[in-house]
Amino acid sequence: MSESSLSQAEPSKPSLRRAVTGPMLFLFILGDVLGAGVYALAGTIAGQVGGAIWVPLLVALFFAMLTAGSYAELVTKYPHAGAASVFAEKAFKSPLISFLVGFCMLAAAVTSAAGLSLAFAGDYLAAFIDVSPHWAALVFLLVIALLNARGIKESLGANMVMTCVELSGLLLVVVAAAWCFQSGEANLGRAFEFKPGINPMLAVLGAALLAFYSFVGFETSANLAEEIRGVRKVYPRALFAALIVAGIVYMAVGIAASVVLPMDKLTATSAPLLEVVRASGLNIPPQLFAFIALVAVANGALLTMVMASRLTYGMARMGLLPEPLSRVLPKRRTPWVAIIASTAVAIALTLTGTLAALAETVVLLLLFVFLSTNLAVLVLRRDTIEEKHFRVPSWVPVLAIVSCLILLSQQSLDTWLRGGALIVLGMVLYGCNRLVAPAVQAG
């Protein structure tokens, strides 16, 4: 069922409130991109390439900008909640493909939130309180759900504050490196060294997969299309500006980490940026930086769950998920059933794997979504609309497809098996919904 026919059938159904301004959208995207990835993965990237951490980050930024171009065109052309699944439905005219694209996006979002809850409940939280990680993750997800249900304006208001905090933490790492230079302890040459005994090109491609995880999050903003004021003008500006700012910050942080710490020390810790600050001699209290890291993780989880609930809502309105998931609170106008369902799944996923395993699965699922979106741009060029919208050259989605295939080739067999199991689960849910829906209509 298309969204246009559905909206005609239910004209009295509450819609989402357009409360998102340009600055709020910019900070939403920036906050979602500047999440826990760079705080945890700098050491892992260094373990693959050596001190040239900024190189795979630059490659990942280029790949992300290509796919972002496709999102900018399609969001401004079809500004509806549901994003990737809406694009797939319009391009491929297949309910199954539309569902699988939306389900991959949804599964990636909820899996990411589960991983972030584990990151929140780990060593950074242990700097303040000794508590069971799984209980801490449970409480964390429940608090995120309550803020999400309160309203999109309140959620993005909290995001604006948390984004400023997490950005300040990354800038603090750069300042710490500058301080280290002043003391004569820094070594700029390490930022241009590759790990001995490796093929630099292959190592960079492999590390770009990890670096790409640090940039994913920009796609979540597409699910706010119905809530953005002046979406056709505001969205492309906010999207590209946020990615460029994030890329500059990431590369500065990568260089800072390399020049302050030798590679053996950088790769031996799960909190590499905290070790950089400690080694810089700037005398920043470790608990202060731990607090900033916790805010970064919390911000990423909040924005991810906002997206997951809106995507669930959008797919339910399209008839791809059960209709109750599209119910909205009368006063708050937030998708409360979708929020409860996505939170429950995230809580369950926290019991199934580590942060690293969940992160790898997130990237795999999102690459399938990005392939669909980039193909949809080319297919939908024949569908013209009256309203002016953003448009990218045709070579952009073509190169974006190539970049997705390159990153898919770097995935491990275990990740393919885990992602495949989730996709099979999605197909089962799709089949069940197809069987139940006619029976409900007949009743």
Side-chain angles (χ1 to χ4, degrees), residues 66-273:
L66 291 173
T67 294
S70 295
Y71 270 91
E73 176 168 335
L74 291 179
V75 168
T76 56
K77 192 174 183 180
Y78 309 109
H80 308 295
S85 60
V86 170
F87 307 150
E89 188 268 343
K90 290 182 177 294
F92 309 121
K93 308 299 181 183
S94 168
L96 177 58
I97 293 177
S98 180
F99 175 82
L100 288 177
V101 168
F103 184 81
C104 283
M105 187 78 178
L106 179 58
V110 177
T111 303
S112 181
L116 290 174
S117 73
L118 292 177
F120 184 92
D123 292 338
Y124 284 120
L125 183 62
F128 298 95
I129 185 174
D130 184 13
V131 64
S132 167
H134 287 299
W135 279 109
L138 170 63
V139 173
F140 172 74
L141 287 171
L142 291 177
V143 171
I144 292 295
L146 291 174
L147 184 56
N148 190 1
R150 182 165 177 80
I152 186 66
K153 189 173 182 179
E154 289 79 3
S155 297
L156 296 192
N159 163 67
M160 292 175 71
V161 175
M162 290 191 288
T163 295
C164 292
V165 173
E166 65 181 301
L167 180 58
S168 69
L170 296 176
L171 294 178
L172 192 59
V173 174
V174 178
V175 171
W179 180 269
C180 192
F181 263 112
Q182 182 181 354
S183 65
E185 297 294 328
N187 183 351
L188 183 60
R190 283 199 294 257
F192 300 92
E193 294 177 354
F194 287 93
K195 187 177 179 180
I198 64 167
N199 183 316
M201 182 174 294
L202 294 178
V204 166
L205 286 178
L209 179 63
L210 289 172
F212 194 74
Y213 176 72
S214 296
F215 284 101
V216 297
F218 67 87
E219 75 285 346
T220 65
S221 60
N223 295 281
L224 299 180
E226 289 187 17
E227 299 172 87
I228 300 171
R229 298 175 187 171
V231 60
R232 288 191 166 93
K233 290 184 178 180
V234 167
Y235 186 81
R237 297 173 184 172
L239 176 61
F240 294 123
L243 278 174
I244 291 172
V245 170
I248 293 172
V249 172
Y250 277 168
M251 284 184 283
V253 169
I255 293 172
S258 297
V259 301
V260 172
L261 280 182
M263 289 304 99
D264 56 342
K265 294 184 178 180
L266 192 60
T267 58
T269 175
S270 61
L273 300 190

Side-chain angles (χ1 to χ4, degrees), residues 14 59 129 149 158 209 288 291 314 332 337 365 376 380 397 417-418 423:
V59 172
I129 185 174
L209 179 63
L288 173 61
F291 172 77
R332 291 290 175 184
V337 179
L365 292 168
L380 290 171
L417 293 174
R418 191 181 304 112
I423 293 174

Side-chain angles (χ1 to χ4, degrees), residues 100-114 304 307-308 311-312 315 345 349 358 361-362 365-366 369 419 422-423 425-426:
L100 288 177
V101 168
F103 184 81
C104 283
M105 187 78 178
L106 179 58
V110 177
T111 303
S112 181
T304 299
M307 184 279 291
L311 177 54
T312 303
M315 292 179 67
V345 174
L349 282 169
L358 294 174
T361 306
V362 168
L365 292 168
L366 286 180
V369 175
L422 285 170
I423 293 174
L425 173 62

Side-chain angles (χ1 to χ4, degrees), residues 273-355:
L273 300 190
L274 178 58
E275 293 304 317
V276 169
V277 172
R278 281 176 173 167
S280 68
L282 195 55
N283 294 324
I284 298 172
Q287 285 190 329
L288 173 61
F289 196 84
F291 172 77
I292 293 173
L294 288 174
V295 170
V297 174
N299 195 33
L302 172 62
L303 300 185
T304 299
M305 290 305 286
V306 167
M307 184 279 291
S309 61
R310 269 57 180 185
L311 177 54
T312 303
Y313 160 86
M315 292 179 67
R317 289 191 67 192
M318 293 172 63
L320 299 174
L321 286 174
E323 185 276 335
L325 291 170
S326 66
R327 293 177 184 174
V328 176
L329 286 174
K331 292 184 178 180
R332 291 290 175 184
R333 303 278 286 276
T334 52
W336 66 277
V337 179
I339 291 171
I340 292 175
S342 57
T343 302
V345 174
I347 290 173
L349 282 169
T350 62
L351 306 175
T352 66
T354 64
L355 171 60

